[in-house]
Amino acid sequence: AMAPRLRLPRLLPSWLLLAANAAAFASARGILSDDDLQGAILLRGAPRGAYHVPLEVDSPGGTTGPKHDDRLVKVLAEAGLDSNHEGEEDEQNGDVQLLLHTDRGHVESVMAKLQSMGLAPGGYIPHNTVLLLAPRKRLPEISRVSNVRWIGTMRNEWKHAPNFFEELETHVLTRGLAHLHVTLAAPIAEKVSRDWAESRGWEVGVVSRDAVIIRVDLNTWTDVTRFCLSREHVHWLSLRRISKFKNKQASLSVLGESRGLSDGDSGGLGRRFLWDKGLDGTGQVIGIHDTGLDRSHCFFRNDQGNTTANDTLKLCKECQFSNYYEPSRAYALWALEGLNATFCSVERLGKASHGGQKYVRFPNGTGTIARPHNVSFAHELNLYLTVLTGNQSHLQRSPQEISDIYCPKFATALKYKDLDFCCKLDPKNETAQDVLPTHLRALALTLLSRGRTCCPRSLTLENMGEVPMLQDNCTFTTDACTKRQTEQRKVQAYWAFADTNDKRDGHGTHVSGSVAGSAATPGAAINAYQGMAPKAKIVFSDASRKRGYGVWLPVDEAKVMKWAYDLGARIHTNSWGDSSNTYEKGSQMFDEAVYERKDLLILFAAGNDGDQGYASLGSQPNSKNVLTVGAASQPLEYELQDAVPARAAAGRWELKSTFCEMDAPGRAWASGRLLVDINSVLGAVCHAMNQTFHPFSSAHAAKHHYCPKISDENWAQYVCRVNAFNFTAPTGDCRDGLRRL
């Protein structure tokens, strides 16, 4: 069931995310009872996700008045000195961060009263709690506000998620640096940014009125986090995460009724029914932020004429990527420093990385095998050495032995800033890897599996090789950015934030087609597969550069929605996000964008991680004022009758371009992930067919096997067979079971 849109006054990222029916969810898991929730503040940093307010028992004459927690009593007694600050006066003139727990239904009246007293409430925390940064000298006055049942302080240990330090350390070790979102308890970001930059020498930028962003590295992250947590005006610390594109199965769900099943079928009440009622996108403008949009596609051209001459759209080229990110060789050095710190620490090499399980279904459909992701760096490196050499004795090597081999190499590279060493190990450098010694090839495959590199040219292709600038002083002024080009049939604005187009068969083109794609000629055959709102217009912001890695966003992540809204979009759809099941600063930005624009609906994809079980949403779909959309696969009969024939030509081209472009490898080979997945999946296929499988040692070896076969039509039918989800061929080379990929 869908939770109601809350429209609450400024939800804060410190609150514990529960289900729509919080009491039922928590009670079912033994966390909180319904009675507990009435007197609980849902704080993620508190034990078991909640602080239980020690309320006074009501007397026959009414409540006995607010009760203070022990720390607040101490603050009052010390007359303006916080015991946690070792006598140092707080930067905000003796302010204290308060939690005011109110009577049910009185949050807004308490906020109004505080505002009438000249105070600025910082936001709302479920249940029935107001955040307030206030001078200590006004505490007696605040304690007399009506309908406040309890007053306490925001404790330092409540200002971050339970796994924050572990996640931050891993992030810094992986990439050499990290960016911290610091949410403040009051709209004082400009002052805090200026003060910390001057007094601490940090790189600090303003995210919003009540949030700053700080860049940290291996040498500074511990000091920065300790300092921030000790400040009364700091409310919450979190990582600025990297988002990825989502939308794995939605195309089949959309196509499921695009051909219009008969009225007697389940699809009879599908899209045709909605279109017949006039719900076809007429009069709507939809905002989309994605990899790019191929405007030459017939779904988006003004007519069916010449592709080049047809595209007359003027691009918005203000507030672009270069206004928010800067290339940095230092980023590669930070990444090298992180790898050196990993391989020169026996503890870090032997520590199992956090992750779930990735399941691969046996081809005969009888069970699954688990490929664990939560293995140590040392163990994974040993596995690759065993695969490459066939010598299982490598599995017995200890983290100390591995450190003795690799630590000197990384230390030397770091000493001389030898980034060529990084590029020899880079997953995208297949030619170099073919001539590497076996122990370095195993290292390269391990780095590939974990998405780690310190090669500058590869970092710039990912959403990690450019350092985010920490200020957003950019505004739109030109007509291409501030006015919708209504003479355009489909795409009426294009913010070239990252670049100006999409790669062939790109994610953004796919998403836009699913949403509102429609050919100009009504009777065009491809209109059997038009989007869900075929008569809607599109305003598009480009989120990805070059090969489509990573989602690039301004410092204010909701700026893409605000830009589209100003151009008339009242719906904004987003098929991207991170994989952290949290409520973070970005989530709050999206909630505030909707709260301030009552007629805006933001949609996010639920993600691609449902096979990981519960709690697989990212922070974006956890926003409370957005609509999160999940997807399901279509019945096999539909795939056989409609989906496969429609995708046959594109599928053959994709297969050929992925496997056989030797000079310009397809994206899957370029990332190196395909080689790992082929060896993993085909191992299961061959096991089920009782055949011996020798893993491909390199991308070139896999190409040598597949490319001569792809042009053979008989082989193409065999390898792409979809008459069952099982691999049913009784004979043949098990390595050709590519359908399992």
Side-chain angles (χ1 to χ4, degrees):
M2 187 179 71
R5 185 181 290 189
L6 297 183
R7 301 281 192 195
L8 290 170
R10 259 189 58 76
L11 277 165
L12 292 159
S14 59
W15 74 288
L16 174 70
L17 177 71
L18 294 179
N21 187 340
F25 178 91
S27 179
R29 286 156 181 76
I31 303 172
L32 302 167
S33 69
D34 186 47
D35 290 339
D36 289 334
L37 284 171
Q38 305 312 320
I41 304 175
L42 302 184
L43 292 166
R44 286 166 54 198
R48 299 200 330 180
Y51 176 73
H52 298 270
V53 176
L55 297 175
E56 294 277 7
V57 177
D58 290 353
S59 65
T63 59
T64 59
K67 178 179 179 180
H68 303 151
D69 70 350
D70 294 339
R71 181 168 177 258
L72 184 59
V73 172
K74 192 171 184 179
V75 170
L76 284 165
E78 292 179 350
L81 290 181
D82 189 329
S83 60
N84 284 356
H85 291 179
E86 300 177 353
E88 177 186 348
E89 185 70 12
D90 189 85
E91 294 118 318
Q92 299 307 310
N93 300 317
D95 290 346
V96 61
Q97 187 176 163
L98 300 174
L99 300 173
L100 279 63
H101 190 68
T102 74
D103 290 325
R104 185 185 299 182
H106 286 275
V107 168
E108 293 187 357
S109 65
V110 169
M111 283 188 168
K113 177 60 177 177
L114 294 171
Q115 290 170 344
S116 71
M117 295 164 59
L119 300 169
Y124 168 78
I125 300 175
H127 290 284
N128 306 315
T129 304
V130 176
L131 178 74
L132 179 67
L133 185 70
R136 290 176 173 81
K137 62 184 180 181
R138 300 196 64 179
L139 283 172
E141 181 184 0
I142 294 170
S143 67
R144 293 192 293 270
V145 173
S146 300
N147 301 115
V148 174
R149 306 185 71 190
W150 175 88
I151 302 177
T153 54
M154 184 69 181
R155 302 175 187 177
N156 295 345
E157 62 268 24
W158 294 348
K159 296 179 180 179
H160 59 82
N163 63 341
F164 169 71
F165 287 103
E166 178 183 359
E167 186 180 13
L168 176 58
E169 181 181 27
T170 300
H171 196 94
V172 172
L173 286 172
T174 300
R175 294 178 172 83
L177 79 167
H179 293 86
L180 295 180
H181 271 149
V182 183
T183 303
L184 305 169
I188 52 175
E190 292 284 355
K191 182 180 187 307
V192 167
S193 175
R194 184 173 57 253
D195 290 348
W196 287 356
E198 294 175 357
S199 64
R200 315 294 297 189
W202 295 342
E203 294 181 86
V204 189
V206 175
V207 175
S208 61
R209 294 178 305 161
D210 67 339
V212 298
I213 185 170
I214 306 176
R215 184 175 298 149
V216 298
D217 57 31
L218 279 167
N219 299 316
T220 62
W221 72 271
T222 53
D223 290 339
V224 170
T225 52
R226 286 177 183 145
F227 176 86
C228 290
L229 291 174
S230 70
R231 303 295 94 181
E232 277 295 334
H233 54 282
V234 170
H235 178 71
W236 187 253
L237 285 184
S238 62
L239 271 173
R240 185 180 195 239
R241 292 182 172 83
I242 295 174
S243 293
K244 298 180 180 180
F245 295 104
K246 311 285 186 176
N247 198 358
K248 184 182 293 183
Q249 296 288 355
S251 61
L252 294 181
S253 297
V254 170
L255 292 174
E257 291 167 357
S258 62
R259 293 290 296 271
L261 301 178
S262 66
D263 291 340
D265 293 328
S266 60
L269 295 180
R271 297 196 322 173
R272 289 195 308 160
F273 174 80
L274 296 176
W275 292 347
D276 290 344
K277 300 296 184 184
L279 296 176
D280 54 10
T282 299
Q284 286 294 328
V285 180
I286 301 175
I288 302 173
H289 188 65
D290 216 289
T291 58
L293 179 56
D294 180 4
R295 299 183 301 282
S296 69
H297 192 288
C298 58
F299 268 174
F300 310 108
R301 294 203 304 262
N302 284 339
D303 56 43
Q304 303 302 299
N306 179 272
T307 300
T308 305
N310 191 267
D311 185 13
T312 59
L313 184 73
K314 296 180 178 65
L315 302 182
C316 170
K317 293 188 176 181
E318 295 180 289
C319 301
Q320 290 181 289
F321 175 87
S322 58
N323 294 103
Y324 297 97
Y325 296 87
E326 54 188 349
S328 177
R329 187 174 184 272
Y331 214 137
L333 293 173
W334 278 319
L336 176 57
E337 186 175 349
L339 287 170
N340 178 69
T342 297
F343 279 89
C344 294
S345 168
V346 175
E347 179 183 0
R348 288 169 178 160
L349 278 175
K351 184 178 180 181
S353 299
H354 177 71
Q357 300 281 341
K358 186 170 185 178
Y359 294 97
V360 180
R361 186 170 299 281
F362 275 125
N364 60 13
T366 59
T368 60
I369 58 174
R371 188 177 80 193
H373 280 196
N374 53 338
V375 298
S376 69
F377 217 127
H379 183 59
E380 187 164 6
L381 200 154
N382 286 342
L383 286 173
Y384 279 113
L385 266 176
T386 302
V387 169
L388 293 174
T389 65
N391 183 355
Q392 295 195 17
S393 65
H394 289 300
L395 293 173
Q396 308 305 318
R397 292 196 313 171
S398 67
Q400 182 64 64
E401 293 175 281
I402 292 174
S403 182
D404 291 343
I405 295 172
Y406 295 103
C407 175
K409 299 182 183 301
F410 280 104
T412 301
L414 183 61
K415 179 179 179 180
Y416 295 103
K417 299 182 179 179
D418 180 13
L419 297 180
D420 287 340
F421 172 73
C422 294
C423 291
K424 290 177 182 177
L425 299 175
D426 184 63
K428 300 177 180 63
N429 195 348
E430 296 176 9
T431 303
Q433 289 183 27
D434 284 343
V435 298
L436 284 177
T438 302
H439 71 286
L440 288 181
R441 286 183 63 199
L443 174 60
L445 288 170
T446 305
L447 296 178
L448 158 67
S449 177
R450 299 190 168 233
R452 297 181 67 169
T453 183
C454 49
C455 181
R457 64 172 171 264
S458 289
L459 283 169
T460 56
L461 294 178
E462 307 284 353
N463 189 351
M464 51 193 281
E466 317 278 345
V467 178
M469 297 182 186
L470 303 182
Q471 302 287 354
D472 186 354
N473 299 317
C474 190
T475 57
F476 298 107
T477 59
T478 64
D479 287 350
C481 298
T482 59
K483 295 181 180 179
R484 191 154 45 90
Q485 299 167 52
T486 55
E487 72 278 6
Q488 302 292 322
R489 181 185 71 89
K490 180 60 67 173
V491 184
Q492 299 190 335
Y494 195 105
W495 179 10
F497 176 75
D499 58 20
T500 62
N501 214 306
D502 199 11
K503 71 182 186 67
R504 184 171 181 177
D505 198 28
H507 189 272
T509 303
H510 152 66
V511 167
S512 300
S514 298
V515 171
S518 178
T521 303
I526 198 172
N527 274 345
Y529 302 98
Q530 60 190 350
M532 291 296 289
K535 294 187 179 180
K537 310 302 181 183
I538 293 173
V539 293
F540 193 93
S541 51
D542 196 303
S544 188
R545 305 177 74 213
K546 299 178 182 178
R547 295 183 182 177
Y549 294 104
V551 181
W552 300 90
L553 292 161
V555 176
D556 177 1
E557 296 178 16
K559 187 168 186 171
V560 294
M561 292 85 177
K562 298 172 185 175
W563 171 78
Y565 182 89
D566 290 342
L567 291 177
R570 295 301 180 260
I571 300 171
H572 198 285
T573 183
N574 306 275
S575 294
W576 50 267
D578 58 41
S579 296
S580 65
N581 186 39
T582 57
Y583 184 94
E584 299 292 3
K585 181 59 186 176
S587 318
Q588 185 189 34
M589 291 176 183
F590 304 133
D591 278 344
E592 288 190 353
V594 175
Y595 184 75
E596 294 167 357
R597 297 162 181 81
K598 304 300 185 186
D599 54 347
L600 172 63
L601 174 63
I602 297 176
L603 298 96
F604 272 100
N608 296 342
D609 303 320
D611 57 353
Q612 303 295 323
Y614 293 109
S616 63
L617 296 179
S619 64
Q620 294 83 8
N622 273 335
S623 304
K624 304 314 295 177
N625 290 344
V626 311
L627 177 61
T628 298
V629 182
S633 298
Q634 287 292 332
L636 178 60
E637 293 76 11
Y638 165 72
E639 287 204 43
L640 287 169
Q641 295 168 12
D642 283 6
V644 173
R647 295 175 61 94
R652 289 289 302 280
W653 175 87
E654 183 73 18
L655 190 66
K656 184 175 186 299
S657 65
T658 298
F659 278 79
C660 303
E661 290 184 358
M662 303 298 290
D663 296 329
R667 181 165 66 111
W669 282 127
S671 71
R673 171 60 62 186
L674 181 58
L675 180 63
V676 177
D677 284 346
I678 280 181
N679 285 334
S680 174
V681 174
L682 294 186
V685 172
C686 294
H687 171 80
M689 295 181 68
N690 296 316
Q691 294 185 20
T692 301
F693 172 60
H694 299 288
F696 293 114
S697 59
S698 67
H700 285 286
K703 292 175 185 176
H704 180 75
H705 174 82
Y706 289 115
C707 291
K709 299 184 176 186
I710 287 180
S711 59
D712 184 335
E713 183 65 27
N714 292 326
W715 181 83
Q717 293 177 2
Y718 167 75
V719 75
C720 299
R721 185 174 297 167
V722 197
N723 60 350
F725 281 112
N726 301 329
F727 186 89
T728 57
T731 60
D733 189 334
C734 64
R735 291 177 296 176
D736 292 339
L738 292 184
R739 175 60 188 170
R740 296 269 39 87
L741 288 174

